[in-house]
Amino acid sequence: MPFWSRKARPLSKLPMTTAEGFAPAKVNLTLHVTGQRADGYHLLDSLVVFADLGDRLWYEPGPRLSLEVTGPFSQGVPADARNLVWRAAEAARWTGCIRLEKNLPHGAGIGGGSSDAAAALRDLGGPTSAALALGADVPVCLSSAPQRMTGIGEVLTLVPTVPALNMVLVNPGGAVPTPAVFAALAEKSHPAMDEIPAVAEHAEFIDWLSCQRNDLEAPARSCAPQIDAALTSLNQADLVRMSGSGATCFGVFADPGTAREAALRIGSLHPTWWVRACRTIAGSAGQVPPYG
Ligand code: C5P
């Protein structure tokens, strides 16, 4: 049985009527590691976008906080204060029942718990100042727009010129612990991203993207050799890269049909992998508040 289709926990009979939230998958189009702070955290320069697929949340106010985790990736996800969603609700001083549907693989470099936590913090009216304490990736997940992320993840700038991209996400299985990948990174100081193009035709954007990097790809491959096969499977894409600290890799395609065909082909060749075609959310004007 594929690792992502283990039997989901049965849904409870809770009246899930109040409010619904969405925690999209986060994709690091680039991830440059530019230094390391004295406390061990790494300085990043990353272009982050969000996909039109993700985890879902439902909120039902009540006297006590409780959490129910369902969905294809619910196994092993704690339903208590160890879960970032729980801690986001506490930061918002909100009580009630939260149902979290885990559709995304976790420990996978595509946001997972960080996007869930950001959705709960936003949906429950929590202070954005609480985001960074929940995790370095949580501030960027408060908005679904393309953003340039620097600092350790808390310095954010909207990048409205990033076009919507047709993608295939491929996760070959096996959670990859982020601290282990950073620890395996030998050189901590790499060049920052090149200036992001102001005009964003697909071909020009892909040309620019192909000159950027994910500096965590080499250390992640040494920790998780299955990433090699995931990258190879996407070789018909216009651009192939790993997201975050892996193991999820993405391929960018010119149109949705080609992406869907590639997803079907890769999925049939590797039935135990998690493979999804998606489209990213395009840039838009606006502002992100300071999260630091
Ligand atoms: O902040 P978060 O708990 O999500 O980070 C998980 C781990 O990833 C940290 O403990 C650290 O080892 C590593 N990390 C880092 N630099 C960052 C983000 C994460 O070293 N900017």
Side-chain angles (χ1 to χ4, degrees):
M1 190 187 343
F3 75 96
W4 46 268
S5 69
R6 291 183 194 115
K7 195 162 170 278
R9 289 181 206 171
L11 295 178
S12 74
K13 297 279 188 297
L14 283 167
M16 290 301 174
T17 51
T18 302
E20 188 173 338
F22 179 61
K26 170 217 73 169
V27 178
N28 298 88
L29 291 179
T30 70
L31 205 172
H32 296 223
V33 181
T34 58
Q36 189 174 27
R37 296 197 319 196
D39 65 0
Y41 269 82
H42 294 77
L43 296 171
L44 310 175
D45 190 9
S46 177
L47 184 56
V48 180
V49 294
F50 293 86
D52 59 359
L53 81 180
D55 295 338
R56 297 172 72 201
L57 301 97
W58 291 266
Y59 311 98
E60 179 73 23
R64 279 183 309 106
L65 182 58
S66 65
L67 176 62
E68 182 187 12
V69 187
T70 66
F73 287 100
S74 59
Q75 200 166 53
V77 178
D80 54 30
R82 289 170 295 169
N83 194 306
L84 290 179
V85 166
W86 185 290
R87 287 163 51 196
E90 285 183 332
R93 298 177 183 276
W94 184 91
T95 58
C97 177
I98 302 175
R99 180 189 287 167
L100 169 63
E101 183 182 85
K102 295 290 292 181
N103 299 313
L104 301 175
H106 28 95
I110 49 172
S114 302
S115 192
D116 298 342
L121 195 64
R122 189 185 55 226
D123 297 342
L124 301 176
T128 53
S129 57
L132 187 61
L134 294 171
D137 260 357
V138 177
V140 74
C141 294
L142 284 170
S143 162
S144 305
Q147 293 157 79
R148 184 177 194 163
M149 177 177 90
T150 56
I152 64 163
E154 81 286 19
V155 182
L156 301 165
T157 319
L158 284 173
V159 189
T161 54
V162 177
L165 299 169
N166 301 295
M167 271 190 186
V168 176
L169 302 181
V170 171
N171 186 288
V176 181
T178 302
V181 174
F182 274 108
L185 179 71
E187 170 57 56
K188 307 290 189 183
S189 188
H190 299 262
M193 253 194 299
D194 293 331
E195 198 181 330
I196 303 167
V199 182
E201 283 290 306
H202 178 83
E204 190 190 348
F205 188 71
I206 295 297
D207 284 349
W208 175 83
L209 211 47
S210 62
C211 296
Q212 316 307 312
R213 315 177 305 274
N214 181 342
D215 289 326
L216 295 182
E217 207 168 287
R221 290 170 84 161
S222 71
C223 297
Q226 69 272 27
I227 292 170
D228 293 358
L231 290 166
T232 306
S233 75
L234 286 160
N235 61 6
Q236 285 177 22
D238 294 345
L239 176 112
V240 183
R241 186 159 289 155
M242 190 186 82
S243 178
S245 55
T248 305
C249 299
F250 62 91
V252 181
F253 293 82
D255 59 80
T258 323
R260 274 196 301 272
E261 278 166 30
L264 282 173
R265 184 173 37 77
I266 298 167
S268 64
L269 284 171
H270 303 278
T272 63
W273 292 4
W274 181 80
V275 181
R276 292 288 183 279
C278 65
R279 191 165 163 84
T280 66
I281 297 161
S284 61
Q287 282 200 327
V288 287
Y291 298 129

